[in-house]
Amino acid sequence: MYKAVFLDLDGTLLDDNKKISEENKEAIKQAKEKGVQVFLCSGRQQNLVKDYKNEINASDYIICCNGAEIYDCNSKQELFSSNLPEDVVYNLYEYANSRKYLTRIDTRYGRFINDMKYFISKEVEIEPDLNKFISENKVLQFTIGTETEEEIDSVIEYIKSLNRSDIKIENKYLARAKTYTVWAINIINVNTSKGNAINGLCKYLKIDVNNVIGMGDDHNDISMMKTVGYGVAMGNAVPKLKEYAKEVTLTNNESGVAKILKNKI
């Protein structure tokens, strides 16, 4: 029997309106009643993951920023974090901000953006003194967004030209909000991934990863598929992720999470 489930948020547990269906909530409740631990594993920053954790009463341990942080909401302690070098953060910010691209910086203490027109929920505008901001905040994930795919491809080429072996681009995706749509990439520490975070948390909690289900929809979930005993891709998942999954479920708008929980637990 599976002992734990790790769920991505956007495109997986959440539907396209960023809501959790009642069917998914009920399936999670039933899984917990059977003694299965349910963890959230997201590219989102800590405060944004907490809200959904509370909504479904998931485990107090959450994985944030694509694996850059493991946080215990009960003890309010950071079990693990992997930050970006300060000089990289400064370089990327100056590059993106000068071109008026979306700049989003995830830290333990919040999510910061360079322009409030990109505000979604709980973001705070980056303070003018960038050196002070970087010195006071450990940056877990750096996101750049552009209006066109051509522009984001140019950003990717720029980052590659830096020849940094300590960072990586984790994901390229189309981000949709009520007031804007942008092409975006997430930049994280080269050793950071959802898979590594899941493996680390399972060791900490003495859970055999072979007895774990992981569910996701995008390229940043590939490491999850490679780590857990039973990887599941959503019906709406990118084709590449489906290649690594052991099963493809219904889409995020069809409560695909509930289908797996009901059939496998």
Side-chain angles (χ1 to χ4, degrees):
M1 177 181 174
Y2 293 105
K3 303 296 183 182
V5 178
F6 285 84
L7 300 174
D8 171 52
L9 282 175
D10 297 282
T12 301
L13 180 61
L14 307 182
D15 63 21
D16 288 349
N17 293 317
K18 308 303 180 186
K19 303 293 184 182
I20 303 175
S21 71
E22 291 303 317
E23 189 175 355
N24 279 344
K25 289 180 181 179
E26 182 59 29
I28 290 170
K29 178 183 177 182
Q30 291 178 7
K32 290 178 56 190
E33 289 173 351
K34 294 179 181 178
V36 175
Q37 295 192 65
V38 178
F39 302 93
L40 295 185
C41 182
S42 174
R44 294 188 180 218
Q45 187 269 342
Q46 179 198 125
N47 288 340
L48 301 175
V49 179
K50 283 180 184 176
D51 289 342
Y52 290 110
K53 178 206 84 70
N54 293 334
E55 183 175 348
I56 62 172
N57 195 25
S59 169
D60 285 324
Y61 300 100
I62 56 176
I63 294 175
C64 318
C65 299
N66 283 311
E69 181 183 39
I70 304 174
Y71 187 76
D72 182 350
C73 299
N74 182 43
S75 65
K76 298 181 180 180
Q77 292 184 338
E78 190 177 65
L79 301 183
F80 167 84
S81 67
S82 179
N83 59 296
L84 288 167
E86 291 185 4
D87 63 322
V88 170
V89 175
Y90 190 89
N91 185 317
L92 293 176
Y93 181 83
E94 290 295 304
Y95 169 82
N97 198 51
S98 66
R99 290 162 174 76
K100 301 188 184 305
Y101 294 155
L102 160 65
T103 299
R104 191 173 70 206
I105 297 176
D106 289 338
T107 77
R108 174 182 177 183
Y109 302 105
R111 170 170 278 184
F112 300 84
I113 51 179
N114 62 330
D115 191 331
M116 292 306 286
K117 74 180 181 183
Y118 295 115
F119 178 85
I120 301 178
S121 173
K122 297 187 177 182
E123 292 94 343
V124 178
E125 191 164 14
I126 299 170
E127 58 188 70
D129 189 343
L130 185 63
N131 287 320
K132 180 175 182 291
F133 173 83
I134 293 175
S135 67
E136 293 178 350
N137 291 276
K138 182 165 58 176
V139 176
L140 303 173
Q141 181 170 245
F142 195 105
T143 300
I144 297 175
T146 66
E147 291 187 357
T148 68
E149 186 175 12
E150 182 180 13
E151 287 176 318
I152 205 66
D153 287 339
S154 294
V155 175
I156 292 172
E157 289 306 311
Y158 171 74
I159 294 173
K160 289 179 179 178
S161 74
L162 297 177
N163 292 317
R164 298 288 301 230
S165 60
D166 50 358
I167 65 173
K168 67 179 178 180
I169 297 170
E170 180 66 354
N171 212 15
K172 170 187 167 183
Y173 56 99
L174 190 60
R176 293 184 174 88
K178 290 182 179 179
T179 57
Y180 67 86
T181 298
V182 296
W183 282 93
I185 54 171
N186 299 324
I187 302 106
I188 55 179
N189 186 291
V190 70
N191 296 314
T192 294
S193 73
K194 288 186 178 182
N196 285 345
I198 289 172
N199 191 54
L201 182 56
C202 284
K203 286 184 177 179
Y204 179 77
L205 298 175
K206 295 180 173 55
I207 299 172
D208 186 342
V209 290
N210 292 314
N211 295 327
V212 169
I213 296 174
M215 301 181 64
D217 73 302
D218 216 335
H219 293 92
N220 57 336
D221 297 310
I222 290 176
S223 63
M224 181 195 297
M225 300 294 109
K226 291 180 177 180
T227 301
V228 301
Y230 199 82
V232 178
M234 304 301 295
N236 52 286
V238 296
K240 191 66 176 178
L241 184 71
K242 293 178 180 178
E243 294 177 14
Y244 292 92
K246 292 188 176 178
E247 183 176 345
V248 177
T249 186
L250 299 174
T251 70
N252 63 315
N253 291 321
E254 300 171 307
S255 299
V257 167
K259 177 187 176 183
I260 293 299
L261 295 182
K262 290 175 181 177
N263 291 342
K264 295 295 179 181
I265 293 175

